[in-house]
Amino acid sequence: EAGVTQFPSHSVIEKGQTVTLRCDPISGHDNLYWYRRVMGKEIKFLLHFVKESKQDESGMPNNRFLAERTGGTYSTLKVQPAELEDSGVYFCASSQEVGTGYEQYFGPGTRLTVT
Amino acid sequence: RKEVEQDPGPFNVPEGATVAFNCTYSNSASQSFFWYRQDCRKEPKLLMSVYSSGNEDGRFTAQLNRASQYISLLIRDSKLSDSATYLCVVRGGSNYKLTFGKGTLLTVNP
């Protein structure tokens, strides 16, 4: 069974540009999460989808970040315009259900560098 | 106060050593507790869940003290392949969000 995949693995962009990250969850997983780790900090939750619906986007830093999951399959996270402090590793995770016993499986992450 | 705090590390130990990781969490409503392992430039992977009664998986033992809001991980007879960052992770009751500590880097030396 394929795991969570993310694209691209690395992205280097200039401040003010736009970047779109993609996540393909494990097939059949309705729950999809985005997390982020900025340099020197812990991994932090950004948002949670159940199918195509946003359940919780309380961790989104500001309105420069837009996440979508059209059709309830893959998800995209767009940063527009990017700022220097957006640099970090963006992880996507998916789970079959929420709650005890349902592991969140993480993708390899997208390393974003804003220069 | 951070929601999840871990030993800052790093830890450097010889093969065969026993190493202990400690973690505290601030939200008393937290319901689920985990240790994740993250290899360099890789994704976090679940190492083990932590239960109130304590649990063991081979060389790994995890303990939870709800009264003290304290979680621990003990690795016995450490191997070179145990070298990684160990992340203490907590989840709330009806909350699916994982809250991570910063992680503790372990290097096991030959």
Side-chain angles (χ1 to χ4, degrees):
Chain A
E1 180 183 285
V4 177
T5 58
Q6 293 186 244
F7 182 83
S9 57
H10 293 82
S11 180
V12 180
I13 61 171
E14 291 183 355
K15 177 182 169 180
Q17 290 186 320
T18 297
V19 64
T20 300
L21 314 181
R22 173 171 169 143
C23 168
D24 285 78
I26 292 172
S27 178
H29 282 194
D30 288 341
N31 294 274
L32 187 150
Y33 315 82
W34 284 97
Y35 292 86
R36 173 175 83 163
R37 182 170 199 159
V38 298
M39 180 83 75
K41 303 280 189 180
E42 63 274 18
I43 296 171
K44 285 199 168 179
F45 169 84
L46 295 178
L47 87 160
H48 170 217
F49 283 99
V50 177
K51 297 185 181 179
E52 68 275 8
S53 300
K54 289 177 190 173
Q55 289 296 109
D56 181 354
E57 50 186 330
S58 62
M60 296 287 262
N62 51 60
N63 60 11
R64 295 185 294 102
F65 289 75
L66 175 65
E68 295 181 320
R69 193 182 181 196
T70 308
T73 53
Y74 71 91
S75 175
T76 58
L77 179 65
K78 184 186 329 188
V79 185
Q80 179 183 32
E83 298 289 344
L84 298 178
E85 65 264 25
D86 301 332
S87 296
V89 183
Y90 290 77
F91 291 104
C92 175
S94 72
S95 68
Q96 190 171 12
E97 299 283 348
V98 296
T100 303
Y102 291 100
E103 180 181 346
Q104 291 184 25
Y105 295 87
F106 282 77
T110 293
R111 186 170 298 272
L112 175 65
T113 303
V114 183
T115 63
Chain B
R1 181 184 172 186
K2 287 196 177 297
E3 292 184 71
V4 178
E5 294 219 51
Q6 296 185 238
D7 294 328
F11 292 174
N12 282 278
V13 302
E15 270 187 290
T18 296
V19 60
F21 300 92
N22 302 306
C23 170
T24 56
Y25 59 95
S26 61
N27 185 353
S28 59
S30 299
Q31 293 289 321
S32 304
F33 310 90
F34 312 93
W35 285 100
Y36 274 70
R37 170 197 168 122
Q38 186 175 22
D39 293 292
C40 187
R41 293 184 173 259
K42 299 284 189 181
E43 69 273 24
K45 289 186 177 178
L46 180 65
L47 177 65
M48 58 197 301
S49 300
V50 189
Y51 305 111
S52 295
S53 53
N55 47 301
E56 188 173 306
D57 182 3
R59 299 181 293 108
F60 299 82
T61 300
Q63 298 269 347
L64 167 65
N65 184 322
R66 284 185 181 269
S68 305
Q69 295 179 206
Y70 168 84
I71 308 162
S72 67
L73 174 69
L74 187 76
I75 304 176
R76 290 181 300 279
D77 187 25
S78 52
K79 312 290 185 191
L80 297 177
S81 57
D82 294 333
S83 297
T85 295
Y86 290 82
L87 301 163
C88 179
V89 183
V90 169
R91 185 173 64 201
S94 57
N95 189 336
Y96 35 75
K97 285 188 267 193
L98 298 181
T99 301
F100 287 79
K102 282 183 73 172
T104 305
L105 176 63
L106 170 67
T107 302
V108 181
N109 301 301

